[in-house]
């Protein structure tokens, strides 16, 4: 059978999508042992995990980009989950990092605006997971800042305020939330979860992956494999199995 004929006979295969939207902690999630890689490995036969992490970005910029990533006409119905993971840059101290800083109230409003936009294009609340910024290990991040000739431009207490705002937005909007800031500090020294005081270490990636999967598994594990297991293909008549 010619390929063109096979294509005409078969339905177009469309993989559902999981969209990871965030800053550098999301952008780096496809590195070896990253939390995005963990998700992609578990969902490879069921849906595409799409990384739209953009290093250095904050919610002020993110809310402008989101409508360019998902529109009603671009099959929003194929999106089975979206993570929104911002705050590490928004919570930068205004006097030392005015370019990335976003005031707390605006940060909350921006998150709410993004959730409302997703709902408007038919991505329902049960498919949205907000993720708070992780805690900041100040001494390690200060070393990273000093190496670039900068002063310490973030503090953990401030990051915690943004994390609380994220949790509150999720509560108001009816979405799930992963409060990474609180969970990583629960009865333990959280420094091993971070590689430089801000970004995730291998252990931090593993922790986030496990926490996020526990929230997504019920939503996604029931998704069917889009093509049959190879042993189930009729080798005498593969068209019957595959088209």
């Amino acid at each position: 059978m010619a390929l063109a004929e096979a294509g005409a006979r078969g339905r177009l295969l469309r993989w559902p999508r999981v969209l990871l939207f965030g800053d550098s902690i999301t952008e780096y999630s496809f590195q070896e042992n990253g939390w995005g890689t963990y998700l992609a490995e578990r969902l490879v036969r069921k849906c595409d995990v799409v990384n739209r992490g953009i290093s250095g970005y904050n919610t002020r910029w993110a809310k402008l980009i989101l409508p360019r990533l998902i529109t009603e006409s671009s099959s929003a119905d194929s999106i089975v989950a979206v993570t929104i993971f911002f705050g590490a840059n928004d919570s930068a101290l205004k006097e030392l990092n005015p370019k990335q800083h976003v005031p707390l109230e605006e940060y909350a409003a921006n998150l709410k605006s993004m959730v409302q936009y997703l709902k408007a294009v038919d991505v329902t609340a049960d498919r949205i997971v907000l993720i708070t910024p992780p805690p900041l290990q100040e001494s390690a991040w200060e070393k990273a800042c000093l190496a670039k000739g900068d002063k310490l431009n973030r503090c953990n207490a401030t990051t915690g305020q943004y994390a609380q705002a994220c949790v509150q937005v999720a509560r108001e909007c009816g979405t799930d939330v992963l409060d990474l800031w609180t969970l990583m500090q629960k009865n333990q020294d959280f420094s091993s979860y971070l590689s430089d005081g801000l970004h995730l270490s291998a252990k931090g990636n593993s922790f986030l992956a496990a926490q996020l999967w526990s929230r997504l598994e019920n939503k996604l594990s029931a998704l069917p494999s889009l093509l049959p297991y190879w042993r189930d293909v009729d080798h005498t008549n593969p068209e019957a199995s595959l088209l």
Side-chain angles (χ1 to χ4, degrees):
M1 181 184 293
L3 288 180
E5 184 183 349
R9 281 186 56 185
R11 291 178 293 110
L12 182 64
L13 281 169
R14 294 186 184 275
W15 259 249
R17 291 179 294 157
V18 174
L19 180 72
L20 311 181
F21 188 40
D23 52 35
S24 57
I25 304 175
T26 297
E27 182 176 329
Y28 301 161
S29 73
F30 271 22
Q31 294 179 348
E32 186 176 5
N33 299 318
W35 61 272
T37 302
Y38 177 98
L39 292 178
E41 286 176 351
R42 275 147 190 78
L43 296 168
V44 66
R45 290 289 296 275
K46 298 187 174 188
C47 57
D48 288 334
V49 178
V50 181
N51 187 333
R52 292 294 178 266
I54 311 166
S55 179
Y57 275 50
N58 57 31
T59 57
R60 183 181 292 163
W61 304 342
K63 74 172 185 179
L64 300 177
I65 297 166
L66 185 59
R68 302 178 65 192
L69 299 178
I70 302 174
T71 66
E72 210 161 12
S73 62
S74 67
S75 302
D77 60 342
S78 72
I79 293 177
V80 290
V82 179
T83 60
I84 300 178
F85 189 4
F86 289 94
N89 297 317
D90 298 69
S91 60
L93 302 175
K94 181 180 181 180
E95 61 274 17
L96 293 170
N97 190 348
K99 185 166 185 174
Q100 290 179 301
H101 168 80
V102 172
L104 184 60
E105 289 186 4
E106 183 190 341
Y107 167 73
N110 291 341
L111 285 179
K112 189 175 292 187
S113 174
M114 286 189 274
V115 171
Q116 289 171 341
Y117 172 77
L118 289 173
K119 290 180 179 179
V121 295
D122 296 328
V123 178
T124 52
D126 62 315
R127 288 183 274 167
I128 302 168
V129 181
L130 300 186
I131 307 176
T132 77
L136 181 83
Q137 215 289 317
E138 293 175 18
S139 59
W141 184 241
E142 184 173 27
K143 288 180 183 177
C145 291
L146 290 172
K148 299 175 184 176
D150 299 325
K151 295 179 180 179
L152 177 64
N153 55 22
R154 290 162 170 80
C155 76
N156 192 40
T158 301
T159 303
Q161 293 175 350
Y162 284 71
Q164 290 169 14
C166 180
V167 171
Q168 182 61 32
V169 168
R171 188 176 296 126
E172 293 172 2
C173 294
T175 71
D176 206 344
V177 64
L178 174 49
D179 185 358
L180 207 56
W181 190 86
T182 298
L183 288 169
M184 282 189 166
Q185 295 183 89
K186 200 170 185 178
N187 304 320
Q188 58 199 320
D189 174 13
F190 64 88
S191 60
S192 63
Y193 289 128
L194 304 168
S195 61
D196 58 3
L198 176 69
H199 301 95
L200 301 180
S201 64
K203 183 178 177 182
N205 272 282
S206 179
F207 181 86
L208 171 51
Q211 293 288 335
L212 183 56
W213 183 246
S214 72
R215 287 159 174 78
L216 293 177
E217 186 173 12
N218 289 339
K219 296 179 176 62
L220 305 180
S221 60
L223 291 172
S225 292
L226 294 179
L227 289 167
Y229 182 53
W230 72 270
R231 291 187 186 277
D232 297 329
V233 175
D234 182 353
H235 69 284
T236 64
N237 183 19
E239 292 86 355
S241 301
L242 302 177
L243 294 180

